[in-house]
Amino acid sequence: MKETIKMMLRTVLGFRTSIKWNKASMAACISVFVIMGAVTGCASTKGNDKATIAPVETKDTKVKDNTSKDTKVPVNGELKVHFIDVGQADSILVQQGSSAMLVDAGNNADNQTVKNYLDKQGISELKYFVGTHKDEDHIGSADYIINSFKVGKVYFPKQTATTKTFEDFVRAVKGKGLKLTVPSVEESFKLGDATVTVLAPNGSSYEDANDYSIVLKVVYGNTSFLLTGDAESISESEMVNKGLDLGSTVLKVGHHGSRSSTSQNFLNKVNPKYAVISVGTGNSYGHPTQDVMNRLKAKNIPVYRTDENGTVVATSDGNQVKFSTNPGSYKGIASNSSGNAKNSTSTKTQVVPAPVTPKTNVTTKPKTNVTTTPKSTAKPSTGNKSKVVYYTPKGKSYHYDKNCKTLSRSKTILQFTLGEAINSTHSDPCDVCTY
């Protein structure tokens, strides 16, 4: 025993002198080896002279655990996200297990389209209805849907409107004994095994109504969907600057592919594998714009489009997302010089027409007994009545162009549909921008 310890001491400690062994020296040596054992137990096995500090190993383990797919919340079944084809509008059904949420409900004229689609999916109850914002192409059929189905909770931003569409929506909500709940940013709620988190709006006073849009991130296992409503670059910048978790598997492209949304910085932060655009065929708004399509193409993001693919259904098993159809094209519409691309309807080949010389043989205007001037043609009464137009509270005219010079004197610019304009006290078409 003594000889063995001597040899070990000489080897490890480099002793060259002899040791006079007694009980005290033996006890001291044993103590040395106990201490050495504790140290060498933490020492690196790679031949380093320095010992690896324990917290480093703990830190490494935590990092590995946090990035491991095994740490994700387990999921059961599938998550289905249906981007319903409602033309130049939005309506998205999200299903997980027996729970369902509807985000927007298309135009007023889409009430049967949306209801029939929900019926076909076996929906009898909506746990949540989310109206992203007040535009008619998002809440047009909300009243009909809320009256037709059992609804648990209704989310809506802190936003009001004087339109009949909005009034019908509010009346339907109250009629069901519900209220409009304003969500808070980073608030989360469960939809089956999916988690839905609110990411916008981050402000309460926007010049453009679209920036009030509620933005939702739906997370299911290792996959996620970012549903952006009509949020534009102002809202996008706020989300980026706030450092919110934007990374998503699927991006619902904002504002139907308008050039005012899907800014490059925002797209880089989301970094989606796939994109979906809800947009109408042959629309006059110039959506989706070629600028946005080029950004998506540059990042090799497959794009699914309701104007080319019809209703698009994305199904997640928690690890990967599959689509019900093949991707669409990257064909967009060149941006027009006026910069007006609000609430668009995308078209494959149509470019927003420039103003033409007014015809002089048309002398009638909708809802007015005053003889019209040559510039005020009958076009508004025969156009797309779901088209968004602009007006001021005290003005008598509606405008196609929000940037119209006749609106520049007003601090308050409101919007509603052409159909609502014709039947309102703002039924006189602007002589500058509506001919």
Side-chain angles (χ1 to χ4, degrees):
M1 177 68 176
K2 292 181 181 179
E3 293 303 321
T4 301
I5 294 176
K6 288 180 184 179
M7 291 177 63
M8 293 178 66
L9 284 171
R10 290 192 186 100
T11 302
V12 176
L13 303 179
F15 283 359
R16 295 182 181 178
T17 59
S18 62
I19 297 176
K20 185 175 181 180
W21 293 97
N22 53 35
K23 290 183 179 180
S25 60
M26 180 65 74
C29 287
I30 292 174
S31 298
V32 169
F33 278 104
V34 170
I35 295 172
M36 289 176 60
V39 174
T40 55
C42 296
S44 169
T45 59
K46 296 182 179 180
N48 296 354
D49 290 334
K50 296 182 180 180
T52 303
I53 300 174
V56 174
E57 292 186 342
T58 303
K59 184 177 180 181
D60 288 344
T61 301
K62 287 183 179 179
V63 170
K64 182 178 181 181
D65 288 346
N66 287 341
T67 58
S68 171
K69 292 183 179 180
D70 294 336
T71 63
K72 297 289 183 178
V73 176
V75 296
N76 294 304
E78 297 176 330
L79 173 77
K80 288 191 174 184
V81 182
H82 309 248
F83 300 88
I84 305 171
D85 182 9
V86 283
Q88 186 60 27
D90 269 15
S91 187
I92 303 168
L93 171 65
V94 185
Q95 288 179 288
Q96 208 296 297
S98 59
S99 299
M101 171 177 68
L102 188 67
V103 181
D104 291 330
N107 289 297
N108 284 295
D110 297 317
N111 54 5
Q112 285 299 322
T113 298
V114 177
K115 182 181 184 301
N116 290 344
Y117 190 86
L118 298 185
D119 288 339
K120 188 176 179 181
Q121 307 309 314
I123 302 297
S124 59
E125 177 180 354
L126 293 170
K127 189 172 183 180
Y128 305 102
F129 175 82
V130 181
T132 58
H133 63 298
K134 68 183 181 64
D135 286 355
E136 190 260 349
D137 62 322
H138 291 257
I139 61 167
S141 295
D143 59 326
Y144 186 81
I145 295 302
I146 290 171
N147 286 326
S148 300
F149 294 89
K150 182 179 179 180
V151 179
K153 193 169 187 176
V154 178
Y155 283 106
F156 194 75
K158 192 174 183 180
Q159 187 182 38
T160 60
T162 59
T163 64
K164 186 176 184 300
T165 292
F166 182 74
E167 291 173 356
D168 290 343
F169 169 49
V170 173
R171 189 178 299 113
V173 172
K174 290 183 177 179
K176 283 293 189 78
L178 301 169
K179 63 180 181 179
L180 299 179
T181 300
V182 178
S184 301
V185 171
E186 295 190 279
E187 169 187 347
S188 294
F189 53 89
K190 298 293 290 185
L191 185 73
D193 285 337
T195 300
V196 184
T197 302
V198 179
L199 300 183
N202 287 275
S204 58
S205 180
Y206 294 103
E207 181 177 343
D208 196 303
N210 288 328
D211 283 318
Y212 284 95
S213 290
I214 294 175
V215 175
L216 302 175
K217 182 174 178 178
V218 183
V219 177
Y220 187 66
N222 301 322
T223 64
S224 53
F225 296 74
L226 192 63
L227 310 179
T228 58
D230 276 359
E232 299 192 352
S233 57
I234 295 295
S235 179
E236 291 177 351
S237 295
E238 289 175 341
M239 286 185 275
V240 171
N241 294 338
K242 197 169 182 178
L244 298 176
D245 182 10
L246 298 172
S248 300
T249 312
V250 179
L251 169 66
K252 181 270 178 187
V253 174
H255 197 192
H256 318 286
S258 166
R259 69 176 181 176
S260 59
S261 302
T262 321
S263 56
Q264 188 65 60
N265 192 27
F266 180 74
L267 183 61
N268 290 342
K269 292 293 183 181
V270 179
N271 196 28
K273 290 184 179 179
Y274 313 99
V276 179
I277 302 179
S278 184
V279 65
T281 304
N283 69 86
S284 60
Y285 299 93
H287 290 173
T289 60
Q290 192 62 59
D291 290 345
V292 170
M293 300 310 296
N294 288 344
R295 289 176 206 146
L296 296 169
K297 184 177 181 181
K299 293 179 72 68
N300 296 314
I301 301 170
V303 182
Y304 298 82
R305 315 166 43 149
T306 59
D307 61 337
E308 295 181 351
N309 306 117
T311 293
V312 176
V313 182
T315 303
S316 168
D317 63 2
N319 288 307
Q320 59 181 340
V321 177
K322 295 182 179 180
F323 289 83
S324 60
T325 182
N326 293 325
S329 72
Y330 289 109
K331 182 181 291 186
I333 307 302
S335 299
N336 65 330
S337 59
S338 70
N340 184 24
K342 306 293 285 179
N343 269 343
S344 72
T345 357
S346 119
T347 166
K348 302 176 187 177
T349 57
Q350 177 185 2
V351 177
V352 179
V356 296
T357 304
K359 297 179 180 180
T360 58
N361 60 342
V362 180
T363 57
T364 59
K365 279 196 289 188
K367 297 285 290 185
T368 179
N369 295 323
V370 181
T371 303
T372 60
T373 61
K375 285 186 178 181
S376 301
T377 72
K379 180 179 179 180
S381 64
T382 59
N384 179 4
K385 292 187 178 182
S386 65
K387 176 182 177 69
V388 171
V389 295
Y390 305 92
Y391 68 102
T392 61
K394 296 182 180 180
K396 295 182 179 180
S397 300
Y398 62 86
H399 306 258
Y400 281 177
D401 188 354
K402 188 176 181 180
N403 298 314
C404 178
K405 63 182 181 181
T406 62
L407 284 172
S408 61
R409 296 184 296 272
S410 177
K411 294 182 179 180
T412 303
I413 301 175
L414 306 174
Q415 67 183 50
F416 56 178
T417 66
L418 176 59
E420 291 170 334
I422 293 172
N423 294 310
S424 74
T425 57
H426 308 279
S427 59
D428 184 21
C430 172
D431 291 339
V432 175
C433 66
T434 60
Y435 62 91

